[in-house]
Amino acid sequence: MLSIKNLHVEVDGKEILRGLDLEIGTGEVHAIMGPNGSGKSTLSYVLAGREGYEVTAGEVLFEGRNLLEMEPEERAWAGIFLAMQYPVELPGVNNMSFLRESVNAVRRARGEEELDAVSFMKRVREKAELVKLPDKLLKRSVNAGFSGGEKKRNEILQMALLEPKLTILDEIDSGLDIDALRVVAEGVNALRGPERSFLMITHYQRLLDYIEPDHIHVLAQGRIIRSGGKELALELEEKGYGWILEEEAAA
Amino acid sequence: MSTQRELDDLVKAGYEHGFVTQVESDTLPPGLNEDTIRFLSAKKKEPEWMLEYRLKAYRHWLTMEEPDWAHLKIEPIDYQAISYYSAPKKAADGPKSLDEVDPELIETYNKLGIPLEEQKALAGVAVDAVFDSVSVATTFREELAKAGVIFCSISEAVHQYPELVKRYLGSVVPHTDNFFACLNAAVFSDGTFVYVPEGVRCPMELSTYFRINEAKTGQFERTLIVADKGAYVSYLEGCTAPMRDENQLHAAVVELIALEDADIKYSTVQNWYPGDEQGRGGIYNFVTKRGDCRGDRSHISWTQVETGSAITWKYPSCILQGDDSVGEFYSVAVTRGHQQADTGTKMYHIGKNTRSTIVSKGISAAHGQNAYRGLVRMGAKAENGRNHTQCDSLLIGDKCGAHTFPYIEVRNPTAKVEHEATTSKISEDQLFYCRQRGLTEEDAVSLIVNGFCKEVFNELPMEFAVEARKLLNITLEGAVG
C-alpha cells in the first residue's frame, strides 16, 4: 500500500530524514519508535503533505501513485488520514459541520454521494458513542476548549467517519491517561481490517499493549535502523535505544 | 426553497426600473452652486420649504471641511466635477455591452448564478428586456396599504406626506452634522421613506429591491424610516451582487426614528464595485446612518455586511434617549485588494437602563486595511446603562492591516461598559488541518471565515444570510497563497 524508498527530507536546510525505507502492506499495522528528534513527526507530516518539508531525494508511492506530487487534500481523498499530536482549534467552526464538510469532501472526491443531514447525524452519533465523545462536544467549535483527551478522541472520531485506507497516528498516546488511551485504542482496533493499514508513531511501548502492531521499526538519525516483530518493543522497553544505536555505530 | 425563488424573482424585478426611465434632457452639467440646487429642486417640483432646507444646508456646507481623521488614504474629491442632477445615468454613458465590463465582475455574477439580463442591469449595460415586475410591486403595495404602512420614495413623500417629512427629516442627522451629511442634505437625489403607524407590525420585510421607483437614486441617497409607538419594521438595503456604478462618490444619509416600544431592524449588504486589482475605479462610500430610540423601550438594530467599495466610511449609530431602550450593531467588514474600510458605530446612552451591544468582525486580506472605530458614551443621566462591545479582527496573509479605535466616555457611575477585542490570523496549522481532512484551501478559508462571522450572519434575515455567505466566499476567493 505504502512504499517509501530512500527518503531524504530537509527542514529549513537541515536534513532530518536521511534515506528512510519503509514498506507497509495492505491490512498491516506498523509502529515506529525512536528517540526524540529522530524524525518521527517529520515523517508523518511529509506523508500528509505539509508545507515546509523539502524532499531532496527518494520516492513515496501510495497504491502505486506518486504521493509527493499530491496536494494535502488529494492525499486525504486518496485515503490517507493523519491523527495529529496537537490537533488545532477552529474557533467558530461547529464540530458537527466540520465533520460533515470533511466527510462529504472526501465522498465527493471518491465519486460517492454526499450524505444527507439525517443519515450523517446518525452515523456521527454511532461513532461518537464508540470513542465516548459527549454529544455536547459535537455542538461546540472544533477542538476549542477541548481537553487533551477530548481532542484525541475527536481525531479518532474523524478517522472512524472518514474510514481511511492508511491512518497515521502521530503520538496519539501523548498526554492521555490510561482510560483515555484505552478508549482511543478501541476506536482504532474497531477500524482494523484486511483493507486498512496503520502507521503508529510513538515513544512508548505502552500504546503497543493496546494496539498490537505486526511490525515494529526503530527510527534514529533519520533512518530505520532496526525492524522486527512485537518482541522488539519489549527489548526496547527493557534496554532503551542505546544498544541499537551502538550496534549501528559499530556496523 | 420557494422563498429563495421569490426573493430571486423580486430581486430581478427591482433592478429593471431605473433603466427604462429616460430623462436625458434633464442632466445638469457638473458643478455645484445655489442655482444648481434651485434647478434640482424645481425639477422635482419641491415645495418652498424643501428648497429652503437644501439651501440652508448648502450654505452651511460651504463653511465646512472634509474630515480627515479616518484611517483612510483618499484621493482628493473634486466636488465641482460632479453632476448633481444626473442621477439616472444614461445608457449611452455606460458600457455598451458586457464585453466592456471588468471580466472579474462578470465572473462573480456567473458564480452567483445571476441571469444574463440581470448581469447587464447590474453592470450598467442598457437593457431592452422588460421583466414582469409590475404585478409583483402592485400586490406588494396593496398589502402594505392595508396595514397602513407608507413605503414610497422620499420625493413622493415630500409631496404626499409633507407633515411627516417636515417633522422627521433632519431630526436625527441635522444638516450641520458632518461634511458629507450636509452635502447630502443640500443635494440629495432620492431615497426611501417608510412610516409604520402606531401598533402596526409591518407584514413583510421591506427592501429597496421591491420599491418600484427606487432604482437610480444616485449617489446622494436619503432614507427616512419612522416607526410609531409599538410598531415594528425590518428593512433590507442593498443587493447581493456587486453593483457596477460609475459614481465615484456616494454620500448617503439614513435616519431611523423609533417611538415608544417601537422596533426597527435595518440590514445592509453593501457590495459596490471595489475597483480593479489596483483599486482603480472603486466607489467611495461615505454614509451617515443614525437611529434615534426616541421613545421608552424602543429598539434599533443595525446589521451590516460590507464587502464592496474602494473606501467605506460608515458608523451606523444609536441615540438611546428613551428609558430602557436598546441599540445594537452587528457588522462584518471585509477588505481585500486595495480596499479600505473605517467603520464602526456610536452608542449614545442618554436614558435610564439603556443597553447596547456591538459586535464587529473585520476581515482583511491582500492589501486590505480595516479599521473599527466605535464610541460608547454613557451620559450623566444614563443610570444603569450597559454596553458590551466585541471587536474581532481576522487577518489573511501578511500585507493587510487591522486597526481598532475604541472611544469610551462614561459620565454615570452606575453604568457598565465592557470592551473585548481580539486579532487573529488564519494560521498555516489551521489550513493544513482542514486540508488533511479533505477540504480544499478555499473551502477551509471559507469555513473559518464563516465561523468567524457567524454571530453577525445570525442577525440577518435568512435569505439575506445565505446570500451574504455566498458573497463572502467569492470575495475571499484566492485570498490565501
Side-chain angles (χ1 to χ4, degrees), chain A residues 45 48 50 71-73 76-77 80-82 84 88-93 98 101-102 105-106 143 155 158, chain B residues 424 427-444 446-452 454:
Chain A
Y45 283 140
R50 183 163 195 156
E71 294 293 329
E73 60 269 32
W77 301 337
I80 289 182
F81 182 91
L82 170 62
M84 300 196 196
V88 299
E89 302 189 357
L90 301 174
V93 180
F98 180 72
E101 289 281 330
S102 163
V106 172
N143 293 326
E155 293 290 284
Q158 294 178 20
Chain B
S424 53
S427 69
E428 285 292 323
D429 284 351
Q430 286 174 325
L431 287 178
F432 173 66
Y433 189 76
C434 292
R435 294 178 77 187
Q436 211 303 303
R437 297 305 183 250
L439 275 62
T440 61
E441 190 165 80
E442 273 174 9
D443 287 345
S446 139
L447 197 71
I448 294 168
V449 168
N450 276 302
F452 178 73
K454 196 158 62 183

Side-chain angles (χ1 to χ4, degrees), chain B residues 390-453:
Chain B
Q390 192 191 322
C391 181
D392 300 326
S393 305
L394 185 68
L395 302 173
I396 304 174
D398 54 8
K399 293 182 188 70
C400 53
H403 316 269
T404 307
F405 306 96
Y407 305 79
I408 297 172
E409 299 172 18
V410 181
R411 302 206 171 88
N412 186 304
T414 61
K416 262 190 200 161
V417 178
E418 297 166 84
H419 183 98
E420 276 180 49
T422 66
T423 302
S424 53
K425 201 175 159 192
I426 296 186
S427 69
E428 285 292 323
D429 284 351
Q430 286 174 325
L431 287 178
F432 173 66
Y433 189 76
C434 292
R435 294 178 77 187
Q436 211 303 303
R437 297 305 183 250
L439 275 62
T440 61
E441 190 165 80
E442 273 174 9
D443 287 345
V445 169
S446 139
L447 197 71
I448 294 168
V449 168
N450 276 302
F452 178 73
C453 300

